[in-house]
Amino acid sequence: MNLNLSMWYQAGVFIILALFTAKFIWPPVIGAIDERMKRIADGLAAADKGKAELVLVQKQMQAEMAKAGEEGKQRVANAEKQAAQIVEEARNAAAAEAARIIAAAQADANNQVTKAREELRDQVATLAVKGAEQILKREVNASAHADLLNQLKTEL
């Protein structure tokens, strides 16, 4: 009987220990495990959300980089176009300035030719008067014969 009682005693202690454990120990342990599982699940969800945001940010960054590249290309094209326009304007200004200089030079040359002709006429008239003096052996009065000399100048 001694064996039976000891067995019943052990079974009673085991049942009391099982009830005590089920009532007081398992609920906090299960709660802690559940809380830990919830934090792990939340951490994994946050990591997944972070990965998704990272992918989104990378796509946005690539789009911004592509946009910046296109803007850069556009700016270079505009600068090249503006440079070509400036060169063309300078070329046109230089051509206009050259035409103005040529026209001024031609006008100056025409004035000098006209002046040289007038001087040549005066010299020819003077030579004609001197020649006439020699022929007539007398002095011709230039002031008295001014009309005659002017007529001679226009004929030359």
Side-chain angles (χ1 to χ4, degrees), residues 1-33:
M1 188 105 208
N2 206 1
L3 188 60
N4 248 348
L5 188 62
S6 170
M7 205 174 24
W8 282 106
Y9 177 71
Q10 286 178 356
V13 170
F14 180 74
I15 290 175
I16 291 173
L17 184 61
L19 288 174
F20 180 79
T21 302
K23 179 85 173 166
F24 296 107
I25 294 177
W26 278 111
V29 170
I30 295 297
I33 290 173

Side-chain angles (χ1 to χ4, degrees), residues 50-148:
K51 284 181 183 178
E53 288 177 2
L54 177 64
V55 168
L56 180 64
V57 168
Q58 285 177 340
K59 286 181 182 177
Q60 288 175 346
M61 184 179 69
Q62 288 174 349
E64 288 295 321
M65 294 285 283
K67 183 179 176 184
E70 287 299 319
E71 287 178 3
K73 288 179 184 177
Q74 185 65 32
R75 286 181 181 168
V76 167
N78 288 343
E80 288 174 351
K81 184 177 178 182
Q82 191 174 22
Q85 184 178 5
I86 289 170
V87 166
E88 186 63 30
E89 288 174 0
R91 186 177 293 133
N92 291 341
E97 182 67 16
R100 186 190 64 76
I101 290 171
I102 289 171
Q106 286 176 342
D108 188 41
N110 289 338
N111 287 339
Q112 288 181 4
V113 165
T114 303
K115 185 177 177 182
R117 282 184 183 164
E118 289 296 324
E119 288 177 4
L120 185 60
R121 283 182 185 159
D122 287 343
Q123 289 175 1
V124 167
T126 304
L127 286 176
V129 168
K130 285 186 181 185
E133 278 181 14
Q134 291 292 329
I135 292 173
L136 298 174
K137 295 286 186 195
R138 62 187 177 110
E139 187 176 319
V140 175
N141 188 351
S143 59
H145 303 317
D147 290 338
L148 180 63

